[in-house]
Amino acid sequence: MAIHERYADAIMSGVKRVEFRKRRLADDIETVWVYATAPVSKVIGRFSVDDIVQGSPQDIWDRFGAVGVIERDDYFRYYDGSATAVAIVVGEAERLPDPVGLDELEPRPAVPQSFAYLPVASSPSAMLAPV
């Protein structure tokens, strides 16, 4: 999942407890690999998914705004024109000891625009024990 560096670091440090998205992840996703966007442009860690909650942008803000590490105006600007907001509740997060470039994975995945599903063979999972 592509996440701006500021928010990716906040997830890895345990400060950001929810990731906001416009689209829902597949129900069977248990682990999200965090790709920190430029200038980092690497997979920096992963987190387990505790829950996925969908609702109106206002409802999701009321429930999770305090733990989302985003300013209210920025949040509502992101959801402007959207009827639905998705909150991915972050479980245990673990930072990779050495960030991994996408070119180090086989097969090499494309840079995710929002998120992408990786086959097990191309995930950096061998670098960490299970979350």
Side-chain angles (χ1 to χ4, degrees), residues 18-92:
V18 66
E19 175 62 13
F20 298 114
R21 293 289 157 151
K22 292 180 182 175
R23 293 187 313 155
R24 185 180 179 88
L25 293 176
D27 290 335
D28 63 342
I29 299 300
E30 297 175 359
T31 301
V32 171
W33 288 96
V34 177
Y35 174 83
T37 59
V40 176
S41 302
K42 292 187 176 195
V43 177
I44 65 164
R46 66 181 174 176
F47 67 85
S48 61
V49 176
D50 270 0
D51 198 6
I52 300 175
V53 181
Q54 192 168 317
S56 72
Q58 184 64 57
D59 290 340
I60 295 299
W61 177 259
D62 291 345
R63 286 187 65 185
F64 299 104
V67 294
V69 186
I70 187 170
E71 297 297 322
R72 185 182 194 286
D73 289 346
D74 291 338
Y75 171 88
F76 282 102
R77 195 170 12 262
Y78 174 69
Y79 285 111
D80 186 38
S82 297
T84 303
V86 176
I88 302 168
V89 180
V90 175
E92 183 180 342

Side-chain angles (χ1 to χ4, degrees), residues 42-43 98-109 122 124 127:
K42 292 187 176 195
V43 177
D98 298 302
V100 177
L102 296 180
D103 57 343
E104 298 175 58
L105 302 176
E106 284 295 330
R108 185 189 190 282
S122 64
M127 298 173 193

